[in-house]
Amino acid sequence: MIKIGMMIGDRYEILERIGTGGMSDVYKAKDHKLNRHVAVKVLKQEFSENTNFVSKFRVEAQAAASLMHPNIVNVYDVGEDNGVYYIVMELVEGITLKKYIEKKARLSVKEAVSIAIQACMGIEAAHNNHIIHRDIKPQNIIISKDGKVKVTDFGIAKAATSNTITSNVMGSVHYTSPEQARGGYSDEKSDIYSMGITLFEMLTGRVPFNGETTVAIAIKHIQEEMPSPREYVPEIPVSVEQIVLKCTQKSPDRRYHSMAALIADLKRALMSPDEDFVRIDDPDESMATRAVEPRERTEIKKQARKKEAPEEELRLKKNTAPKKKKPPVYEEDEEDDDEEDDDDSRMEKITTFLAVLGAVLIGCAVIFLVGRTVGIFDFGAESSQVTMIDVTGKAEADAQKALEDLGLKTEITYQESDSVEAGLVIDQDVKAGATLASGSKVVLTVSGKADGSQDSSQSGIPVPDVTGALEAEATATLQKSGFTVTKSEGFSDTVAAGQVISQEPQGGSRAASGSAVTIVISQGPNAGNKVAMPDIIGLDPETGIAILTESGFLVGQQEEMSDAAVPEGKICYASYTAGALVEPGTTIDIGISVGPKAVTYSYQEPVPSPADLDPEYREGTECTVTITGQSGTEYMKTTVTSFPITTVNLHGMSDPAGLITYEYTVEGAATSTTDADGNVVSTPGEKTRKTQQRTVMFTAEG
């Protein structure tokens, strides 16, 4: 029984319970050896009594302890104290993604994709170390107070599923993959499926499949078609929708092949959300069974007859008995026989000719294919085939260069357009994906006047007029027209709160596709005469203070702060964000950047014996101990025969964490046998070289 104030492992003081789950309770604790706060996850009693589960649990937790990544909750230690099995982890002050979604109802597309990228980077690091999570869900993703996303509970799911722990213990079945629901083999692609469900929930505020029982939900994962997130939130971009659908394909082979591929598409979706670039591969398409058409059936029969006729004729001739002496015949009969013999001779010649011709053609084809493979028959670039690409929407010069790089020629025609910016390709006469010979000509239709000139007053696409519209409606209208939206706030006595006061560029004018349109959102009448906080980040302190004073604010504390993003000597912090409406006379604190802070670390703790990691280790055995940082830098290497090592005094290290590696030899038990003379012969045990590792955290030097 865990009580507040008790010590676990002679070093972790339990301070408070901060969470509970199906398998464990989580406590905040103080590590008295390293003088820091940690999270201690304690297995519940029913699992602690299952020796098979505990054994697998320790192995998986130790494997997870080898993972060190900014987007993973690091595991520091695994242990047991009087029947209490526990894991010591990094303490992350923050909120689970599940609670964050519940708090905000649903996340914006940009925020959801950004969180997914960070989570996937942590999962990718685990996959690269051959560790599969198997229980990805919002409850196992934590968002820290500084906005960093961290995935937790690596390795625990594998220990649990291998011991048939029920789904109510393992967590929600809402995120499980079809292969996991069937109880079959699961791999990295199972994590990709669960990540797709998690992204769906972030975007829509709900899970795709629900039901009264876990079995009903699991069956839906196996049988029902995945709904599109755009059914619930229509403004979700097509690229993000396709990413979710590709992640959640029923067949693992149709999902992303790796987390790296998923991360690449998520990053591209951030840059080009409305671009339809996601492709879902179907590995079975080329081998799919289809009905044979009547025309094809007839052709197959003809070919079969042609192939069988010569063989059947030769077989019949071979099996025919020798001709007997013919009886006298009439003259007419002799003529008939001669005609039959002539027909047989003619057929035999035709058959022989066709056989020789077929052999020659087959031989030529083989020689030609082999020659092309080794480069003998190279007829130049003009005979090679290329696949057409999509250049619509590209600038004229860029499109021409892309096609010329493929070995194609281009012809340009111009067409005036109200919807496509001048100078961009409207259409191409050869569709993307088509195969054509190198050197072929492709006709491109470019937006512009017939003479190729571009009227600057008519360049770009029309900007919709959204003044007076509600904020959400205005944003959707502009984004649908191909613009990005920036917002600011203002007061108005005539425009109701939440509606657009003005916009720049003005409605009815033209602007480049993808450019920003700034809209000012009404806050209603300025009853308190509030003032918008100016943007002073990156300015000289003197300039920033002058702007604050002119705006009616007071300048409070001025502190030096480390900031890698803002140049030294510039303002890097203000107590109110730019654009916020603040009462005049409010005191504004500012921070002055001193540049990035160089952080070094030290380690002065005793190095414990490897005996607690490996019961086979015997005290007094020679052991080589190496301390390395997470970057691979070696900071200490020594050989000892006794533990603990109390002379460790490392300073100025660049890594915040690292590994202690033990290398030693263990000898098995000796065996005794009796020889033919009755003498006892003793055989020494087999010697084995072993390696053990433990993760350590270094202390930041002030």
Side-chain angles (χ1 to χ4, degrees):
M1 181 68 180
I2 301 297
K3 295 182 179 179
I4 304 302
M6 71 180 295
M7 295 287 290
I8 294 181
D10 295 327
R11 65 183 288 184
Y12 304 112
E13 180 186 357
I14 301 298
L15 301 180
E16 59 176 313
R17 189 165 76 168
I18 57 177
T20 185
M23 292 191 302
S24 59
D25 295 316
V26 184
Y27 297 87
K28 181 179 180 180
K30 182 176 181 180
D31 182 352
H32 283 272
K33 283 192 176 182
L34 297 180
N35 192 29
R36 65 180 177 186
H37 288 104
V38 295
V40 177
K41 177 168 286 193
V42 180
L43 275 183
K44 290 184 175 179
Q45 188 65 31
E46 58 265 35
F47 302 113
S48 299
E49 295 172 354
N50 185 333
T51 56
N52 188 29
F53 172 72
V54 168
S55 174
K56 293 182 180 294
F57 172 77
R58 287 174 62 90
V59 171
E60 292 303 320
Q62 287 172 354
S66 65
L67 295 174
M68 282 187 289
H69 191 274
N71 297 116
I72 291 177
V73 176
N74 294 312
V75 177
Y76 297 150
D77 194 10
V78 183
E80 181 266 337
D81 188 352
N82 294 324
V84 176
Y85 294 89
Y86 61 89
I87 305 174
V88 181
M89 304 182 297
E90 172 188 3
L91 179 64
V92 181
E93 299 285 354
I95 184 174
T96 66
L97 178 57
K98 184 71 174 180
K99 291 183 179 178
Y100 188 64
I101 296 172
E102 292 172 352
K103 182 179 178 182
K104 298 191 69 174
R106 63 180 175 86
L107 310 186
S108 67
V109 172
K110 188 172 183 180
E111 186 176 26
V113 173
S114 298
I115 290 173
I117 289 172
Q118 292 190 60
C120 289
M121 290 173 70
I123 300 169
E124 180 192 24
H127 288 180
N128 290 340
N129 284 273
H130 310 293
I131 295 176
I132 306 168
H133 195 291
R134 291 179 172 85
D135 195 22
I136 295 296
K137 57 185 178 181
Q139 294 91 326
N140 283 337
I141 298 174
I142 301 174
I143 302 175
S144 66
K145 288 183 177 179
D146 60 357
K148 182 156 287 186
V149 178
K150 290 179 175 283
V151 185
T152 188
D153 274 1
F154 275 96
I156 297 174
K158 182 178 180 181
T161 53
S162 63
N163 283 272
T164 62
I165 302 299
T166 57
S167 60
N168 64 321
V169 174
M170 278 309 301
S172 177
V173 73
H174 293 92
Y175 310 92
T176 192
S177 65
E179 60 269 22
Q180 287 175 292
R182 294 189 189 96
Y185 174 78
S186 58
D187 58 7
E188 289 87 347
K189 292 180 183 177
S190 302
D191 285 351
I192 291 175
Y193 182 94
S194 300
M195 193 64 232
I197 301 293
T198 301
L199 180 56
F200 183 102
E201 185 174 0
M202 284 193 283
L203 293 166
T204 65
R206 54 168 291 159
V207 290
F209 300 120
N210 224 327
E212 295 182 358
T213 65
T214 56
V215 173
I217 299 171
I219 291 174
K220 288 184 178 181
H221 277 286
I222 296 171
Q223 296 181 349
E224 290 195 8
E225 183 180 354
M226 179 72 182
S228 167
R230 298 181 77 179
E231 293 179 13
Y232 306 101
V233 184
E235 57 265 30
I236 292 174
V238 63
S239 62
V240 179
E241 174 200 33
Q242 291 301 313
I243 288 173
V244 172
L245 295 179
K246 184 170 183 177
C247 287
T248 54
Q249 291 291 306
K250 303 297 183 189
S251 169
D253 291 336
R254 299 191 71 191
R255 299 173 202 156
Y256 285 97
H257 298 301
S258 66
M259 275 293 173
L262 172 55
I263 292 170
D265 272 7
L266 286 169
K267 289 181 176 178
R268 186 171 176 183
L270 275 182
M271 302 298 294
S272 306
D274 296 318
E275 183 181 350
D276 186 8
F277 57 83
V278 180
R279 296 290 177 267
I280 300 176
D281 299 325
D282 188 352
D284 299 328
E285 187 175 4
S286 60
M287 300 178 66
T289 303
R290 63 182 179 86
V292 179
E293 297 179 359
R295 180 184 56 81
E296 295 174 316
R297 186 181 293 108
T298 302
E299 185 65 26
I300 291 171
K301 289 181 178 179
K302 287 182 179 179
Q303 295 297 329
R305 289 196 204 99
K306 290 180 180 179
K307 181 177 180 181
E308 291 173 359
E311 295 177 357
E312 181 66 16
E313 184 177 354
L314 291 173
R315 183 182 66 80
L316 290 173
K317 287 187 176 182
K318 180 178 180 181
N319 295 333
T320 300
K323 293 183 179 179
K324 296 180 179 180
K325 186 176 181 180
K326 293 182 180 180
V329 293
Y330 292 102
E331 192 173 355
E332 292 83 2
D333 293 335
E334 289 180 344
E335 291 175 0
D336 292 338
D337 288 343
D338 290 339
E339 289 177 2
E340 289 178 4
D341 290 339
D342 290 339
D343 290 338
D344 290 341
S345 177
R346 189 181 303 110
M347 180 59 69
E348 185 175 355
K349 290 179 181 179
I350 293 173
T351 302
T352 303
F353 173 78
L354 291 175
V356 173
L357 179 60
V360 171
L361 291 175
I362 293 172
C364 291
V366 171
I367 294 171
F368 177 77
L369 292 175
V370 173
R372 285 197 62 181
T373 302
V374 300
I376 298 174
F377 301 113
D378 185 5
F379 300 112
E382 291 296 319
S383 62
S384 62
Q385 300 291 308
V386 296
T387 301
M388 182 61 183
I389 60 175
D390 185 9
V391 294
T392 56
K394 293 181 178 289
E396 177 184 340
D398 294 339
Q400 283 185 292
K401 184 178 185 306
L403 295 178
E404 288 172 358
D405 290 343
L406 287 177
L408 300 174
K409 299 176 182 178
T410 58
E411 178 181 326
I412 306 297
T413 62
Y414 294 94
Q415 175 182 315
E416 296 186 30
S417 172
D418 292 332
S419 59
V420 180
E421 182 180 348
L424 301 184
V425 177
I426 301 174
D427 195 13
Q428 56 193 58
D429 68 332
V430 181
K431 299 302 180 185
T435 302
L436 63 166
S438 178
S440 299
K441 183 173 69 175
V442 177
V443 179
L444 302 180
T445 304
V446 177
S447 176
K449 293 186 177 181
D451 58 1
S453 62
Q454 299 174 14
D455 186 352
S456 59
S457 65
Q458 293 299 315
S459 63
I461 57 178
V463 179
D465 186 356
V466 295
T467 54
L470 291 173
E471 177 183 353
E473 180 186 352
T475 301
T477 300
L478 291 169
Q479 289 178 341
K480 187 176 181 181
S481 298
F483 298 100
T484 59
V485 181
T486 59
K487 303 174 186 178
S488 62
E489 297 175 344
F491 295 105
S492 175
D493 295 329
T494 57
V495 180
Q499 294 182 345
V500 177
I501 300 173
S502 61
Q503 66 180 81
E504 181 60 37
Q506 299 293 324
S509 62
R510 303 176 75 89
S513 178
S515 61
V517 176
T518 301
I519 57 176
V520 180
I521 310 301
S522 174
Q523 303 300 302
N526 187 7
N529 296 316
K530 292 183 179 180
V531 180
M533 173 69 186
D535 186 2
I536 60 172
I537 303 300
L539 300 179
D540 294 325
E542 296 80 5
T543 305
I545 292 172
I547 292 174
L548 290 174
T549 303
E550 291 174 1
S551 300
F553 298 114
L554 301 177
V555 179
Q557 296 181 353
Q558 303 178 41
E559 296 183 1
E560 292 186 341
M561 298 180 178
S562 297
D563 194 312
V566 178
E568 184 177 352
K570 305 293 185 182
I571 297 176
C572 63
Y573 165 79
S575 52
Y576 287 87
T577 58
L581 299 174
V582 187
E583 293 284 352
T586 301
T587 299
I588 310 295
D589 297 329
I590 62 174
I592 313 301
S593 173
V594 294
K597 182 180 180 181
V599 181
T600 58
Y601 301 86
S602 64
Y603 186 70
Q604 297 172 285
E605 297 294 323
V607 176
S609 170
D612 59 340
L613 299 175
D614 182 10
E616 291 186 349
Y617 177 79
R618 297 289 179 264
E619 295 293 340
T621 302
E622 186 177 88
C623 179
T624 300
V625 180
T626 307
I627 298 180
T628 56
Q630 62 186 25
S631 65
T633 304
E634 183 179 297
Y635 295 113
M636 188 194 85
K637 187 171 186 178
T638 183
T639 301
V640 298
T641 56
S642 63
F643 290 93
I645 305 174
T646 59
T647 57
V648 179
N649 189 19
L650 303 176
H651 291 276
M653 297 184 293
S654 58
D655 295 293
L659 292 173
I660 298 178
T661 303
Y662 304 90
E663 296 179 86
Y664 52 89
T665 301
V666 297
E667 185 174 343
T671 58
S672 299
T673 57
T674 304
D675 61 13
D677 299 329
N679 298 319
V680 177
V681 179
S682 179
T683 304
E686 183 180 355
K687 293 184 178 181
T688 305
R689 190 68 175 171
K690 302 189 73 174
T691 300
Q692 295 289 342
Q693 290 184 324
R694 71 168 78 240
T695 305
V696 292
M697 298 298 297
F698 303 141
T699 303
E701 296 177 322

